[in-house]
Amino acid sequence: MTDDLSDRPEGFQRVAAELRRLGHAELPRWLEVAARTSQEAADALGVQVGQIAKSVIFRRAEDDAVVLVVAAGDQRVDERKVAAIVGALKRADAAFVKEGTGFSIGGVAPLAHATPSGREQVTLIDETLFRFEVVWAAAGHPNGVFPIRPDDLYRYTGAPVADVAQAMPPATRATTG
């Protein structure tokens, strides 16, 4: 991919600019197919589903803060665990996600959000991402992704690492990763 991203959507460009500003070694990549799910992204990249750093958005009940959980693609986020950390949650619809992050569902990046002034945003990183040397996150559009080390994701976002995944049955755990 060239450094000229002028033909790419604004969200993709915003993520690329933020990665440059942070000194990240790799620009986002444009996939020929949309990867709106972790499985679609893993298939397009030829990686394990767990290596997809999916962005799951919730709405905090008390103040409508955007709650972003960056979770491994092979994990289900446990809403009770998230609520125990940040407070009671409500579902976030597509309009809330777009307004609160500047990205549409399927392309929410873990950084470079266009958060409206006055709206708090809380981010948590799923500890199971650290099983992998490199994970892949959305880059502001369903066709955009970028590779990142979990340690760099932590460093760039400043978000706490937490146990936010549902416990997997022992048989599943043995075959995952």
Side-chain angles (χ1 to χ4, degrees):
M1 169 179 214
T2 67
D3 286 348
D4 179 19
L5 304 176
S6 61
D7 63 333
R8 300 293 183 214
E10 185 274 334
F12 186 85
Q13 291 181 39
R14 194 168 67 240
V15 171
E18 180 66 3
L19 290 172
R20 279 191 195 109
R21 186 190 73 75
L22 292 166
H24 192 66
E26 294 197 46
L27 286 176
R29 297 181 191 174
W30 189 260
L31 301 174
E32 295 306 314
V33 296
R36 295 187 195 302
T37 68
S38 296
Q39 187 64 61
E40 289 172 348
D43 290 346
L45 293 164
V47 299
Q48 296 176 45
V49 176
Q51 287 179 271
I52 304 304
K54 65 183 176 184
S55 295
V56 181
I57 303 287
F58 298 98
R59 182 180 217 156
R60 189 163 55 193
E62 73 181 58
D63 60 1
D64 280 342
V66 174
V67 178
L68 165 63
V69 178
V70 183
D74 63 352
Q75 302 295 308
R76 270 189 80 98
V77 174
D78 187 327
E79 291 182 43
R80 290 173 300 182
K81 288 181 179 181
V82 175
I85 297 167
V86 304
L89 301 172
K90 299 189 296 188
R91 295 278 178 199
D93 63 15
F96 179 83
V97 172
K98 180 72 171 178
E99 177 195 336
T101 67
F103 302 119
S104 296
I105 292 174
V108 177
L111 43 77
H113 290 198
T115 305
S117 63
R119 174 165 283 158
E120 184 180 357
Q121 182 170 8
V122 178
T123 302
L124 300 172
I125 299 173
D126 170 19
E127 68 186 12
T128 68
L129 282 172
F130 289 80
R131 295 174 285 161
F132 303 101
E133 185 176 326
V134 174
V135 296
W136 291 82
H141 188 277
N143 290 70
V145 294
F146 67 96
I148 188 166
R149 292 179 38 235
D151 286 337
D152 289 337
L153 179 63
Y154 169 74
R155 191 165 45 87
Y156 294 166
T157 63
V161 176
D163 172 10
V164 294
Q166 289 181 355
M168 294 181 349
T172 306
R173 207 174 315 130
T175 60
T176 303

